Amino acid sequence: DGVGFHWYMSLEDALIVHPGHMLRNAHADHPHHYLLATEACEGYLPARKGPFVGQWWRAFKYCYDIMEDMNNWAVGWVDWNLVLDLHGGPNWKGNIVDAP
């Protein structure tokens, strides 16, 4: 048994803050249940909506999120939008985002 989690944070500035303490607390409270990261994307905030081809800082934030999840008791990481076209689609919701 376990739980899936995801979050969206404003990471548009240079300061990256990961809520790993929440994962550590969840693991401490329920050590026999797994934690699985289930979703992530870039380009969801209005000021930076959609894909920015060649902007590797977004890939850096993706990698940072994956590593921090895994370093804080996540057993895996699932990406719902691994492959998108150059326009940020298609997806069922119609929200145009980036897939670094």
Side-chain angles (χ1 to χ4, degrees), residues 70-82:
M70 302 303 283
N71 285 331
N72 287 286
W73 298 101
V75 298
W77 196 90
V78 177
D79 191 349
W80 72 274
N81 62 346
L82 180 61

Side-chain angles (χ1 to χ4, degrees), residues 7-85:
W7 45 60
Y8 294 91
M9 301 178 297
S10 177
L11 298 177
E12 297 298 312
D13 58 9
L15 176 62
I16 297 176
V17 179
H18 187 275
H21 66 281
M22 290 185 241
L23 297 177
R24 290 191 301 274
N25 291 344
H27 175 75
D29 291 344
H30 307 281
H32 301 295
H33 293 85
Y34 66 81
L35 300 168
L36 177 64
T38 61
E39 183 176 336
C41 69
E42 283 291 339
Y44 61 90
L45 294 175
R48 300 268 188 190
K49 189 85 174 143
F52 285 81
V53 177
Q55 296 297 312
W56 290 102
W57 57 272
R58 284 186 165 181
F60 170 78
K61 292 192 299 183
Y62 241 45
C63 293
Y64 179 82
D65 181 59
I66 293 168
M67 290 186 295
E68 287 299 305
D69 289 347
M70 302 303 283
N71 285 331
N72 287 286
W73 298 101
V75 298
W77 196 90
V78 177
D79 191 349
W80 72 274
N81 62 346
L82 180 61
V83 180
L84 299 176
D85 64 23

